Amino acid sequence: MRILGIDPGYATIGFGVVDKLTTGLKVVDYGVIETPKNEAIPVRLAILADALTGIIKKYNPDAISVEELFFNTNITTGIKVAQARGVILLCAIKECGHLYEYTPLQIKQALTGNGRADKKQMQYMVKALLRLSEVPKPDDAADALAAAVCHAHTATYKQREA
């Protein structure tokens, strides 16, 4: 099963592609989509949609795992991230059809066994579980890989076979 994990944002959107094999998890690719700071939000959302659609078509995932929005105290930023997340969800459903959403607590629990794990613990577990030589950079890409690993560890048998 191939899983595309996504860490939502509007300036930097993390993605990570992981294959779940009988021998364990294997990283296929990871990185970020960046939108230009000097562009208006509608243009940035269009850039995001085009880039994400390209990634989905390139890697043809069986499932897409997206981190749910964690409320930010800055309402302006929160609204922009929510708009970007809407674009991400739409692209995922249109291009893949198998979308799963996990809260930050669920992702932390799936990777570390502790829903309150800190950033360093999460990065260590992403590195260890995916047998990487170093922590993926930037952080958004590592967070996206964590979302993919979360789905690999928590998806029901029925979801995996769908």
Side-chain angles (χ1 to χ4, degrees):
M1 172 173 62
R2 178 162 285 180
I3 305 162
L4 170 61
I6 301 174
D7 179 42
Y10 69 94
T12 306
I13 301 90
F15 74 90
V17 183
V18 173
D19 282 343
K20 182 176 171 104
L21 310 169
T22 56
T23 56
L25 299 173
K26 177 184 171 198
V27 174
V28 176
D29 194 11
Y30 61 87
V32 294
I33 299 167
E34 294 181 314
T35 64
K37 292 179 176 135
N38 60 338
E39 290 291 352
I41 288 295
V43 173
R44 294 171 87 170
L45 295 176
I47 291 167
L48 167 57
D50 290 345
L52 184 55
T53 297
I55 290 167
I56 295 169
K57 288 184 178 189
K58 178 178 181 181
Y59 294 108
N60 194 26
D62 299 301
I64 297 178
S65 175
V66 179
E67 184 174 326
E68 286 188 359
L69 184 60
F70 177 74
F71 182 75
N72 192 321
T73 54
N74 181 338
I75 193 69
T76 304
T77 301
I79 290 171
K80 290 175 184 176
V81 174
Q83 290 172 329
R85 195 170 176 284
V87 169
I88 291 165
L89 299 180
L90 178 63
C91 289
I93 285 297
K94 283 179 67 176
E95 300 299 330
C96 174
H98 300 283
L99 171 65
Y100 303 92
E101 299 176 73
Y102 298 96
T103 65
L105 189 134
Q106 288 172 313
I107 294 171
K108 291 174 182 183
Q109 181 73 34
L111 270 74
T112 69
N114 175 7
R116 304 283 181 223
D118 65 24
K119 190 72 126 174
K120 284 191 184 288
Q121 289 173 302
M122 288 296 293
Q123 291 174 339
Y124 173 82
M125 289 306 295
V126 167
K127 177 185 167 192
L129 291 169
L130 296 174
R131 297 180 297 260
L132 299 170
S133 59
E134 58 188 34
V135 173
K137 296 289 182 195
D139 290 350
D140 306 279
D143 291 347
L145 286 169
V149 171
C150 174
H151 183 70
H153 285 177
T154 61
T156 65
Y157 177 78
K158 188 173 184 178
Q159 289 172 331
R160 288 186 195 129
E161 294 300 311

